[in-house]
């Protein structure tokens, strides 16, 4: 059975999060991406407490693609320090097989604009 991982990351705008999600699925780096938000984030940045709305992506992919997903998200992310969190998953075998099939042949040359 394929080893599945969820990767979470946040974005400052819903449209930017949606574009990132669509791009990952288009490139077959993710089988699916959930978008939740707005969520309220409280964090320290530049020595000040910040409270901002964000949209959280939950990316479902195979473990061997996790670094490719991370590299792609970091490269295209508007934040100076995007926070990626990796969550290994125990999945229903049929779901894990579906994720594996959807991400079996990643295409890093495609973009969401190609569809």
């Amino acid at each position: 059975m394929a080893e599945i991982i969820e990767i979470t990351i946040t974005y400052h705008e819903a449209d930017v999060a949606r574009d990132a999600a669509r791009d990952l699925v288009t490139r077959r780096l993710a089988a699916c991406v959930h978008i939740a938000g707005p969520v309220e984030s409280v964090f320290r940045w530049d020595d000040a407490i910040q409270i901002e709305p964000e949209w959280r992506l939950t990316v479902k992919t195979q473990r061997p693609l996790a670094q490719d997903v991370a590299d792609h998200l970091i490269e295209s992310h508007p934040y100076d320090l995007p926070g990626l969190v990796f969550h290994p998953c125990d999945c229903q075998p049929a779901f894990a097989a579906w994720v594996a099939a959807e991400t079996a042949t990643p295409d890093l040359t495609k973009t969401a604009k190609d569809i």
Side-chain angles (χ1 to χ4, degrees):
M1 180 168 69
E3 188 178 354
I4 305 304
I5 189 166
E6 286 185 337
I7 301 169
T8 59
I9 188 169
T10 57
Y11 286 83
H12 67 297
E13 292 179 357
D15 289 343
V16 177
R18 194 174 299 111
D19 289 346
R22 178 175 279 176
D23 196 43
L24 289 171
V25 173
T26 298
R27 293 171 184 260
R28 293 188 172 271
L29 287 170
C32 66
V33 181
H34 294 152
I35 303 170
V39 297
E40 191 167 73
S41 292
V42 180
F43 57 96
R44 185 181 311 274
W45 191 256
D46 291 333
D47 266 345
I49 300 297
Q50 310 290 324
I51 301 173
E52 299 289 337
E54 292 186 302
W55 281 258
R56 180 179 50 234
L57 298 187
T58 303
V59 179
K60 291 173 177 51
T61 192
Q62 292 188 70
R63 179 70 181 112
L65 293 176
Q67 191 60 55
D68 290 332
V69 171
D71 291 346
H72 180 70
L73 289 172
I74 290 168
E75 178 183 309
S76 61
H77 205 284
Y79 290 178
D80 291 337
L81 180 61
L84 285 105
V85 180
F86 300 87
H87 309 274
C89 300
D90 290 328
C91 298
Q92 175 187 22
F95 180 75
W98 176 76
V99 171
E102 289 299 311
T103 58
T105 55
D107 186 349
L108 300 180
T109 64
K110 278 190 174 180
T111 68
K113 294 177 180 97
D114 293 334
I115 58 171

